[in-house]
Amino acid sequence: DEDGGKLDIMQFSKKDIKMISKLSDVDHLFEFICGSLVPDIFGNELVKAGLILTLFGGTPNFSNDKNRVAVRGDPHILLVGDPGLGKSQMLKACVSCAPRGVYVCGNTTSSTGLTVTIVKDPDTGGHNLEAGALVLGDQGICCIDEFDKMSDTTRAILHEAMEQQTVSIAKAGIIATLNARTSVLASANPVESRYNPNLSVIENIRLTPTLLSLFDLLYLVLDKPNAETDRRLARH
């Protein structure tokens, strides 16, 4: 749409429209949609609800002054918790559902891979820009797995993209600002690989406060020993 929403890259077939009209009659539609996201993963209803709302996206707002300062409408989500609970699978499911989704793994990602790379053109001898994950995910979502294993310099790149929703570059005589209107979905393991209940949330996550404040939703996905829950999980 003209307001920069997420519908401009979506195309609906007749089958899609028929299914959408059929879904409009379903009672408790939001719960039904949440249950349709990775049904193989047991529980985590609140996490799935947050991911679904992120896929739908918010509405970007502009102030009334002449400079039109944009207020981002794309929420950012951070999943932190014990390994083996399906955090990566939920992120990959969001990428497959979104009309434009990018998935990267933190331990093999560089700062230029997230933003913009400058490549020398062998034919002309000039320099070209190649978009990274955040720019490719414009008006979509960008999923970053293994967020805790990224270097501090790479994570510092995210500040501008998550807050201003742009990526600025000034290298090799090229000065440019590219749009990165994307929701960032990140998953991380705690500091000791397993969540320590004796420590505070901040001590378990140990990210910089400025970066942590940019996430709108922070989910703790914990594996608590419980015989009844484990039995239901095994049956599922």
Side-chain angles (χ1 to χ4, degrees):
D1 60 358
E2 294 179 356
D3 297 329
K6 297 189 179 181
L7 290 175
D8 59 340
I9 51 175
M10 296 183 71
Q11 293 180 340
F12 297 104
S13 64
K14 288 184 178 179
K15 185 179 179 183
D16 294 332
I17 295 173
K18 186 177 180 181
M19 187 62 69
I20 291 169
S21 62
K22 187 181 290 186
L23 281 176
S24 63
D25 298 330
V26 174
D27 295 328
H28 308 293
L29 181 59
F30 185 66
E31 289 86 344
F32 177 81
I33 295 175
C34 291
S36 303
L37 182 71
V38 216
D40 293 346
I41 294 179
F42 174 75
N44 295 315
E45 290 86 0
L46 279 176
V47 180
K48 292 180 181 179
L51 295 175
I52 288 291
L53 290 174
T54 304
L55 285 172
F56 280 108
T59 305
N61 296 315
F62 297 95
S63 59
N64 293 323
D65 64 353
K66 61 181 180 180
N67 294 322
R68 282 174 61 87
V69 177
V71 179
R72 67 176 172 86
D74 298 305
H76 304 308
I77 293 184
L78 176 62
L79 307 180
V80 179
D82 301 326
L85 293 179
K87 299 190 295 294
S88 301
Q89 279 79 2
M90 284 192 275
L91 292 191
K92 287 184 176 179
C94 290
V95 171
S96 63
C97 289
R100 179 179 293 164
V102 181
Y103 177 89
V104 295
C105 200
N107 52 5
T108 57
T109 303
S110 65
S111 56
T112 53
L114 278 178
T115 54
V116 176
T117 310
I118 292 184
V119 181
K120 192 168 184 177
D121 193 328
D123 298 327
T124 62
H127 292 85
N128 296 330
L129 293 180
E130 287 193 0
L134 291 169
V135 179
L136 288 174
D138 182 41
Q139 293 191 338
I141 62 169
C142 178
C143 294
I144 306 175
D145 206 358
E146 305 290 352
F147 193 67
D148 53 311
K149 296 176 180 61
M150 293 173 70
S151 65
D152 291 336
T153 53
T154 306
R155 278 200 290 256
I157 297 290
L158 292 170
H159 284 83
E160 182 197 357
M162 292 177 67
E163 190 172 1
Q164 309 297 335
Q165 296 206 301
T166 57
V167 170
S168 302
I169 187 168
K171 289 181 181 176
I174 297 175
I175 301 174
T177 301
L178 305 174
N179 284 326
R181 297 161 294 181
T182 176
S183 294
V184 174
L185 308 182
S187 74
N189 290 333
V191 175
E192 300 175 0
S193 292
R194 191 170 178 84
Y195 193 85
N196 188 347
N198 299 321
L199 300 177
S200 68
V201 176
I202 302 298
E203 290 172 322
N204 269 294
I205 300 173
R206 211 172 292 176
L207 289 175
T208 57
T210 50
L211 185 60
L212 206 56
S213 66
L214 292 175
F215 286 101
D216 304 287
L217 287 174
L218 172 61
Y219 286 108
L220 295 179
V221 188
L222 306 180
D223 185 13
K224 297 178 180 178
N226 183 299
E228 179 60 30
T229 306
D230 292 346
R231 190 177 294 111
R232 290 167 60 197
L233 173 62
R235 285 175 179 163
H236 181 80

